[in-house]
Structures are given as structure tokens and as C-alpha cells.
Amino acid sequence: MSNNSSYDIIVLGGGIIGTSTALSLQSNSDLKILLIEAEEKLAAHQSGNNSGVIHSGIYYKPESLKAKNCSEGRELLYRFCEEYKLKYERCGKLIVAVDKDELERLNLLYERGIANGLTGLKRLNKDELKEYEPHVNGIAGLFVPQTGIVDYVQVTNAFAKSFKKNGGKILTNCRFISSRTNCSELIIRTSEGKFRTKFFVNCGGLYCDLVAKQCGVRPGLLIVPFRGEYYVLKKDKEHLVRNLIYPVPDIKFPFLGVHFTRMINGGIEAGPNAVLAFKREGYSLKDFSFADVMNMLSYPGFWKMASKYYETGIGEFRRSFSKKAFVKSLQKLIPEIQEDDIERGGSGVRAQALDPYGNLVDDFRIVEAERMIHVLNAPSPAATASISIGNKIAEMVRKNIKP
């Protein structure tokens, strides 16, 4: 291997967390850093297949990593968009309770929002909801002014552009194969050859647990893919939604429920659901991987999860196959919506960590090992919090990297 294949740090993953981390590491340093990405473009998976919401932080337990990084990262992201002239809007959103059973959870969200430093939260009654969203159905709600919308592919590419401008290198179509220790450095084997590095950062998203195993690290969890499917409102029905309308989420799950989102580049998305996928890149009902399914079926935590949540899972699959069932969920928020008003949109796959006890890991999880850091759970609001997460990982690396 030549000097051209030797680096101070190698970052795996060309999504929003990997590029943010690489940028934070490269900024104001003379470190030689390589970012490798298996796909031919950046933001090919989670970062490029979401509804583009900049989250406020209202959902997360105070003092959790999600709460801290979302609140800090949200404002850093807004400032980054301003500096790099990226299109965004701080439009706010509604969280809507449709029956009395949801009022207690709505109040909990308000209290969490206050605890997480949100200002300007407004409690709304039925009539006040209509002032924000005239077509919404609900008995009470919250207006959250900090929420916004952006294009996370543009953000990821802006991170990457700045990283390269500062001297960083990016290799796409470069798939990680294995890692081994050689004296004071790591040898990273990829589809594009071998590279030497003093430190390795795994931001592998859907494959982060498998990468950790290849590096000799026990992740203590399994990444289970959940597909989120979207519909879009037809053009003549877009007037039904002004900005963002969310239900009160079920606190047992790290998913927010089907909702309406105005997109920064135009259009209104409705969704997503949360369907167990049978492939880590399972963007459609037809996608299937025998290896991925066997990984799930051989993992004790999977069966424990299934026994606890099978009824909910059946309901999600029903919405996946039945447009009528999907519309019924949407009508809880906007009763005027009919089947003919929406058409199939895209889908995304969430890399959800599952622990051995059948619990869906609710917080970010970042694990340190010798000369390595592994990001093992970074679902929503990771995109919102990406700059904050990248800065935190960079701090961890600087404390551990050998000169």
C-alpha cells in the first residue's frame, strides 16, 4: 500500500451523519481523512428518503441524547442553511389530539417541549386549530414553531462539498469488506482496495451492526429495517394542508404515526406507516433477502418484539396493502381526504436498532472501541441533529486518536 492509501481517519457512510462527522473532523485541521460510501451517490438511503422535516425536539425524553442533540442540532442546521444558502422554511407544525384519550399524552408532549427548551409553544382548542389548518379535525392541539422543512439530500451534499473543499476525500462505489489491526493502525479492506488508518468511524446506517461485527465489536443489538411508505396528495387537494400536521404519537414506539408534510420542493406527503421490511434495503413489498430475514429470525430479541407488538404489526401491514385502510388513518386528521385524493409516493427504510430483550432502542447509541467509533442507532431526528452529532463524534475521535 502506498502513502496515497494511508489516512489519519476513515469515515464509513455517505449519509448525513457520515458527511457531517467528516466535515467536523476536517474543519480547522490538517488531518488526512477519507470518507467511503458503498453507493454511487451520497444520501442514497435514510438521508435521501425522508420527508425533510427539521424536528423541534418536543418528542424526546429530557436529557436523552435525542433531546440534547436535536435541540442543539436544529439551530445549527438552520444557521448552516443560511450560510450556505440552502432552501428551508421554519414553518412550524401542529400536533393534533382527535379524542379525549390522547389529551394526557398531548400534555406530556407540552411538558417535554418546555423541559427541552422550546419557547412559543401554543396550546390550541378545537377552534384555534382551524386558524392554523382549516381542514383539520381535532379537539385540542399544540403549535410548535421551531419545526421546519428542508431537503436533506442538499444538506448532505453541502456537507460533502465543504469537506472536500477543506481537503477531505470521498470515494463512492467503495464497499467496506473487513477491518483488521496491524500494530498501531487499522487495515480497512474495501471493494476499491486496502487502506491504512489510525482511526475508523462507522456511520453505516442500515449496515452499522454488521460493520461493527466485522471490526470485532459486539454491537449488542440488531438493525431491523422498517419500511415507511408515503402517499402524496394530488395537486388539486394540496390546499387541504398548509404546513405540517401530526397525530399524538403512541409513546410505546419510536415512530410518530402517519402525518401530513408540506415538502420544501413542493407537494404534500401523507405517511409514513412503519412496516417490517424483509431486506435491509427493502423499499418495496417485493424486496426480500434470505440473509437479512435469517438474521432477524435467529435473533432472540426479534421474537420477543414480535410477541409484544404483533397486533400493531398486523395493522401496519394492512395499511401497506390497503389504500382504504391508509386513508382511514389519514381521515382521523383530515376527514375530507378520500381514496381518489392521494396516489402512491416513495418509501424509505429506517434502520431501527433492536436489543436482545425485544425493545426498540429509543435513543441514539454510539459505541467506542480501540481506534474505532461505531454509530449503532441514529434514526430520526438524526438528520435534524446531524451537525451536533458530527461535532460530538469528532470530539470523541480527537480525544482518542494517536498522534
Side-chain angles (χ1 to χ4, degrees), residues 299-355:
Y299 186 64
F302 175 81
W303 295 105
K304 293 173 183 176
M305 176 192 71
S307 67
K308 286 190 286 187
Y309 304 128
Y310 71 92
E311 289 183 349
T312 300
I314 291 170
E316 292 295 328
F317 272 110
R318 183 167 174 266
R319 282 196 295 194
S320 181
F321 284 97
S322 170
K323 185 179 182 182
K324 183 177 181 180
F326 204 106
V327 168
K328 188 175 180 180
S329 297
L330 297 176
Q331 287 173 333
K332 291 179 180 179
L333 293 173
I334 299 183
E336 292 174 58
I337 294 285
Q338 302 297 318
E339 285 188 56
D340 289 341
D341 298 336
I342 62 173
E343 55 194 6
R344 281 277 184 182
S347 65
V349 179
R350 176 187 177 115
Q352 176 61 53
L354 178 67
D355 74 18

Side-chain angles (χ1 to χ4, degrees), residues 36-108:
I36 60 175
E37 165 56 41
E39 306 295 349
E40 64 180 3
K41 64 179 181 179
L42 303 178
H45 294 295
Q46 293 181 104
S47 303
N49 292 284
N50 59 61
S51 54
V53 175
I54 301 175
H55 287 286
S56 66
I58 194 170
Y59 297 109
Y60 316 119
K61 293 179 182 178
E63 301 304 315
S64 66
L65 290 176
K66 278 188 176 183
K68 292 177 181 177
N69 285 281
C70 184
S71 296
E72 178 184 310
R74 178 192 70 233
E75 297 307 314
L76 289 171
L77 180 58
Y78 279 130
R79 290 202 290 273
F80 183 87
C81 291
E82 284 282 347
E83 182 179 351
Y84 287 85
K85 296 179 171 52
L86 302 181
K87 187 178 179 182
Y88 78 94
E89 288 185 45
R90 195 190 291 245
C91 56
K93 78 170 179 182
L94 289 188
I95 303 175
V96 180
V98 298
D99 58 50
K100 292 181 179 179
D101 293 339
E102 295 178 339
L103 293 178
E104 185 177 345
R105 280 183 281 146
L106 187 69
N107 188 59
L108 174 63

Side-chain angles (χ1 to χ4, degrees), residues 198-213:
K198 297 175 184 176
F199 208 92
F200 178 66
V201 182
N202 167 20
C203 302
L206 286 161
Y207 295 92
C208 63
D209 57 334
L210 300 182
V211 171
K213 287 181 179 180

Side-chain angles (χ1 to χ4, degrees), residues 143-155:
F143 177 69
V144 188
Q146 286 82 4
T147 304
I149 52 176
V150 74
D151 183 336
Y152 282 119
V153 174
Q154 289 185 6
V155 174

Side-chain angles (χ1 to χ4, degrees), residues 111-285:
E111 292 172 353
R112 280 189 176 180
I114 297 299
N116 289 335
L118 299 186
T119 58
L121 290 176
K122 293 182 182 179
R123 297 179 189 264
L124 306 174
N125 61 31
K126 185 175 183 177
D127 292 333
E128 290 168 332
L129 284 172
K130 299 284 188 181
E131 295 176 13
Y132 287 90
E133 295 285 353
H135 301 276
V136 78
N137 171 61
I139 60 171
L142 292 176
F143 177 69
V144 188
Q146 286 82 4
T147 304
I149 52 176
V150 74
D151 183 336
Y152 282 119
V153 174
Q154 289 185 6
V155 174
T156 302
N157 286 327
F159 288 163
K161 183 178 180 180
S162 185
F163 167 65
K164 289 191 289 185
K165 186 178 180 181
N166 290 338
K169 181 177 180 180
I170 296 176
L171 276 181
T172 54
N173 291 309
C174 183
R175 187 172 296 276
F176 172 90
I177 297 173
S178 65
S179 169
R180 65 179 176 86
T181 302
N182 180 30
C183 298
S184 61
E185 62 185 7
L186 298 170
I187 307 297
I188 305 298
R189 189 160 67 95
T190 77
S191 58
E192 294 299 303
K194 295 179 181 179
F195 301 96
R196 295 195 300 257
T197 186
K198 297 175 184 176
F199 208 92
F200 178 66
V201 182
N202 167 20
C203 302
L206 286 161
Y207 295 92
C208 63
D209 57 334
L210 300 182
V211 171
K213 287 181 179 180
Q214 286 285 355
C215 293
V217 174
R218 293 184 178 180
L221 48 78
L222 177 75
I223 294 298
V224 176
F226 282 88
R227 183 173 58 256
E229 299 160 329
Y230 292 91
Y231 282 85
V232 294
L233 267 65
K234 293 181 179 178
K235 198 72 179 175
D236 63 342
K237 295 296 180 179
E238 289 181 0
H239 69 279
L240 296 175
V241 178
R242 288 181 174 176
N243 288 301
L244 286 72
I245 307 172
Y246 279 65
V248 178
D250 187 334
I251 59 176
K252 297 195 299 293
F253 301 100
F255 310 112
L256 300 179
V258 294
H259 49 270
F260 295 91
T261 306
R262 180 170 62 83
M263 308 291 286
I264 192 66
N265 295 316
I268 306 290
E269 277 191 341
N273 53 4
V275 183
L276 181 68
F278 297 113
K279 184 180 180 180
R280 289 188 186 233
E281 298 172 17
Y283 291 98
S284 77
L285 290 166

